Amino acid sequence: MHRSRHGHDDYAYDYDHGNEYGRFQEGGHAYGAAHEVPEDPGEPYFPGPRPGRRRSLALVTAALVTLALLPVAVDRAVAARIESRTAKAFQQGMNTPEPPKVEVRGFPVITQAASGTLRHVDITAHDIPAHGGTRPLPVSELALRLDGLTKADDDSEARARSARAGAFLSYPDVSDALGLEISQGDRPGRVNAVVLLPLGQEVTVTTTVSAVPGNRIAFKDFAVTAGSLPAAGSVILDKVFERPVQLRNIPDGLQLRSVTTTSEGLDAEFTGRSVTFRPEEA
């Protein structure tokens, strides 16, 4: 070892003509091209797949995903076709301004279609008009839950093995049907009716609401809650409320089970078996 002119020990540099790299020497040990300084190996290194292999794995994975999703896509296309045709037939049969929302439930749909029976179908329609008879009462919304839906070979009708339905009847529509201003009553199951008298006077009465056979809604047991009702007015109200209001725009086979009052209208619940829809009924 050599000592520098500054008095510090210094490394000796020796150039080896047999090697193109120089070597530092310290204490008789040389580090250079022949003997590299060992490095800390750190974590063990495991080489990953080569780039070509990675691309192959990605292509195989994409192909498998595509094959897995293809049956789902085909089934969804079949379901969409059935839903569109069902909505069109329902719109024609019920004469709604817009096609209803139709959802075929259960997977796969394609096997249900092949068997000729759809297990579960949901239909939600709006603004179903009422035709025929006196005091027609439109249905603001009708939500159907159909089980075991089949159709005739000539597409003349569709039939559900069983069904449940909920209908909403708005107070403005109920008011038009009765000729009185109807609103929610002070107790469940009752509604208020405002009677206009001569000279601008008003009388408010309350009456019960209930379901009666034949898909009809009955208004009974009215009582005056505000104002004074003359005898002639009582006679008029007796005639208004004596006849239940007929619901004429409900699919054949559904039977009205209950009617409840809400802040905005009446909720009617139906159930039935062998419920039939006929497009030509419109």
Side-chain angles (χ1 to χ4, degrees):
M1 180 176 294
H2 300 277
R3 185 174 296 275
S4 69
R5 64 176 178 171
H6 298 290
H8 301 290
D9 293 335
D10 201 357
Y11 294 106
Y13 180 77
D14 177 33
Y15 187 81
D16 185 355
H17 292 283
N19 194 332
E20 61 179 342
Y21 298 102
R23 294 180 296 171
F24 288 101
Q25 294 179 337
E26 179 183 14
H29 300 284
Y31 302 100
H35 302 282
E36 295 295 335
V37 178
E39 297 180 355
D40 182 7
E43 296 294 331
Y45 172 71
F46 298 97
R50 295 178 180 179
R53 183 176 297 176
R54 286 197 297 268
R55 286 194 295 270
S56 298
L57 289 175
L59 292 175
V60 171
T61 302
L64 291 176
V65 171
T66 301
L67 290 175
L69 294 180
L70 184 59
V72 177
V74 172
D75 197 73
R76 185 59 255 174
V78 172
R81 174 66 173 170
I82 294 174
E83 290 166 355
S84 176
R85 296 184 63 183
T86 303
K88 182 178 179 180
F90 188 94
Q91 182 183 16
Q92 292 176 350
M94 305 303 292
N95 199 25
T96 58
E98 299 291 337
K101 178 182 177 181
V102 179
E103 180 181 1
V104 179
R105 296 186 288 128
F107 180 86
V109 173
I110 192 169
T111 58
Q112 299 180 51
S115 70
T117 301
L118 301 176
R119 292 195 297 268
H120 307 289
V121 179
D122 293 343
I123 300 177
T124 303
H126 295 87
D127 301 324
I128 302 176
H131 299 288
T134 59
R135 301 194 298 180
L137 179 55
V139 175
S140 299
E141 179 178 297
L142 180 66
L144 291 159
R145 303 293 180 263
L146 309 177
D147 297 326
L149 183 65
T150 60
K151 69 178 183 66
D153 294 336
D154 59 357
D155 291 338
S156 61
E157 68 176 29
R159 187 183 301 272
R161 182 181 65 253
S162 62
R164 298 182 64 88
F168 174 71
L169 313 168
S170 70
Y171 283 134
D173 288 336
V174 176
S175 299
D176 291 341
L178 292 177
L180 301 171
E181 185 180 341
I182 304 298
S183 60
Q184 186 179 27
D186 57 350
R187 287 181 293 169
R190 299 186 71 88
V191 295
N192 292 330
V194 176
V195 182
L196 297 179
L197 299 177
L199 303 178
Q201 294 180 326
E202 292 184 357
V203 175
T204 301
V205 300
T206 181
T207 179
T208 61
V209 182
S210 61
V212 294
N215 289 347
R216 297 179 301 165
I217 299 176
F219 300 84
K220 298 179 179 180
D221 304 324
F222 74 87
V224 178
T225 58
S228 177
L229 184 66
S234 297
V235 173
I236 294 175
L237 286 182
D238 283 335
K239 292 182 178 180
V240 171
F241 293 134
E242 71 178 353
R243 289 189 301 109
V245 176
Q246 176 78 54
L247 297 177
R248 302 180 181 277
N249 42 9
I250 301 300
D252 185 27
L254 285 176
Q255 302 298 323
L256 180 61
R257 303 302 182 186
S258 65
V259 178
T260 57
T261 58
T262 71
S263 60
E264 298 180 351
L266 305 178
D267 282 338
E269 297 294 330
F270 300 82
T271 61
R273 292 190 172 276
S274 190
V275 178
T276 306
F277 305 86
R278 297 183 179 88
E280 71 274 11
E281 286 180 352

